[in-house]
Each structure stands twice: as C-alpha cells, then as structure tokens.
Amino acid sequence: MDSYRYLFIIVALSVGPAPTFAQSAIEAFRALDEAAQQEGVSDAEIAEFEQILNGSDEERARRAMDFMLASDDPRLVRRAKEFGLFSANALFRDAALRAIFDEGGPFQIEIDLTAKDDEETGMVDYINALRGGFSQDGETGYFTFALDAYDEADNCWPFNGYNNCAFMLANSAVSLAGWSNGKGQLTLNSEGALEGTLQYTSGIREPAPARIVLIE
C-alpha cells in the first residue's frame, strides 16, 4: 500500500461517524432521571408519611409534618404544605402558612375589579401605584411581591427590601395592615388559597375582593 493511500484511510477513520457505543440523548436523560428518582424518597416512604399525617396521633402527625417541611426533598415539602393547608386543624394550617411565608415567595395577589365600580374602590389607581398589572380583559388586577425573613419584633413578614409588614398571621388569617396606602384581611379557604379583601386607603374607598393562590 502506498503512503498516500494509507494516509487517506487514517484520516477517513478519524473523521468518520461516532462510535456505536456512544450514549444517545434520551438514554442520557433516562440515566439522570433514574438517578434523581433514587436520590429522593421512595413512593413507599411517601405512603408511610401519609399514614402518619392522617393517623389519630396528632402529636406524631405534627412531628412528621415538621420533619417533612424541614427536609430538602421537594416531594416531602410539597406534601406537608398540602396537608397543612387543607387540614381542619388550625395548628397544621398555621404551620403550613408559616413555612410558605418563610420561603419568601414570590406571591401574587389577584384583585377582582368587576365586583364593585372602580369609582368606589379606586383599585385601578392603586394597582398602578403599586406598579402591578392587569389581565387582558381588564377584569383582574395583579401585584407580585416577595418577603423578607420573619421579623420577631414586629411579628410579621416584611416586604422584601422594605421595613413595612406584608403579612401578619393569626389563626389562619393574614393581615395586610402594613401595605403602603392599603390594608386588607385574607383567610385560608377550603381550596388552599388566601381569600378576602384589599382596600385602597387613600380617601374613602370600598374594599375589593382579593386572593392569593399558595400552591398550584
């Protein structure tokens, strides 16, 4: 074999198709997905926690819920929040709300602009002042915000970057008393959302229906 032909074969082999043993994209994903599932809690463990949460021993259920909320496993944390939000026990509801607030958000308050005339509520001006937004049909106003860590002195969660209180919690009811030119009261409903009213306090204004969805 002459040297030129030999050189051509070497070059062709070096730039040829990838070896057949190379892992495909979907195989790589499956491997990562399987590893991720093995790292988290198993379905059997989830089921055992469920039995404890729904058992007759409330003290043990509370310990289990606290453990789940403090864990790094997303499935355990989410299930503990869901259990607390939908529980008939006020202590469990309170624990779930505190855990959600401690995470800092973001949260989005939705204001119903159709329930009352805007001349009564002034909500359009208030949402604009808060630099919020509106739904495409103009029927709902939105304001998104985040929280700082719980303030022991004021017993509330302040707005992120500000000193005024955003949430003050008492018996599954959330006071919005620290809002700039606004106040309101929201209560945890049967759907796991905070529901109540928000009032623009500049002038004599009527409160408007408001809600915050806590978990999808």
Side-chain angles (χ1 to χ4, degrees), residues 202-215:
S202 177
I204 301 175
R205 306 287 189 175
E206 291 291 321
R211 70 195 300 262
I212 298 176
V213 176
L214 297 174
I215 193 166

Side-chain angles (χ1 to χ4, degrees), residues 6-20:
Y6 181 78
L7 179 61
F8 174 80
I9 292 174
I10 294 298
V11 172
L13 288 173
S14 66
V15 298
T20 56

Side-chain angles (χ1 to χ4, degrees), residues 1-2 29:
M1 180 183 298
D2 60 69
F29 167 74

Side-chain angles (χ1 to χ4, degrees), residues 42-59:
S42 66
D43 290 341
E45 289 177 301
I46 292 288
E48 189 168 349
F49 274 112
E50 293 277 1
Q51 288 181 348
I52 297 172
L53 291 176
N54 293 293
S56 58
D57 189 337
E58 287 191 354
E59 288 297 323

Side-chain angles (χ1 to χ4, degrees), residues 62-129:
R62 179 59 188 272
R63 290 196 301 271
M65 182 178 172
D66 289 342
F67 175 87
M68 294 166 75
L69 288 172
S71 75
D72 293 326
D73 189 280
R75 293 179 69 193
L76 284 182
V77 173
R78 180 179 178 85
R79 183 62 195 103
K81 290 177 184 176
E82 290 174 342
F83 174 79
L85 291 178
F86 293 100
S87 175
N89 187 313
L91 292 177
F92 290 111
R93 294 196 301 271
D94 185 81
L97 288 172
R98 289 182 179 276
I100 291 171
F101 296 168
D102 284 343
E103 289 182 346
F107 299 92
Q108 180 171 269
I109 188 166
E110 306 170 3
I111 301 98
D112 183 358
L113 302 178
T114 65
K116 296 182 180 180
D117 193 274
D118 187 61
E119 291 184 0
E120 297 179 274
T121 66
M123 268 297 146
V124 171
D125 286 342
Y126 189 42
I127 293 167
N128 284 325

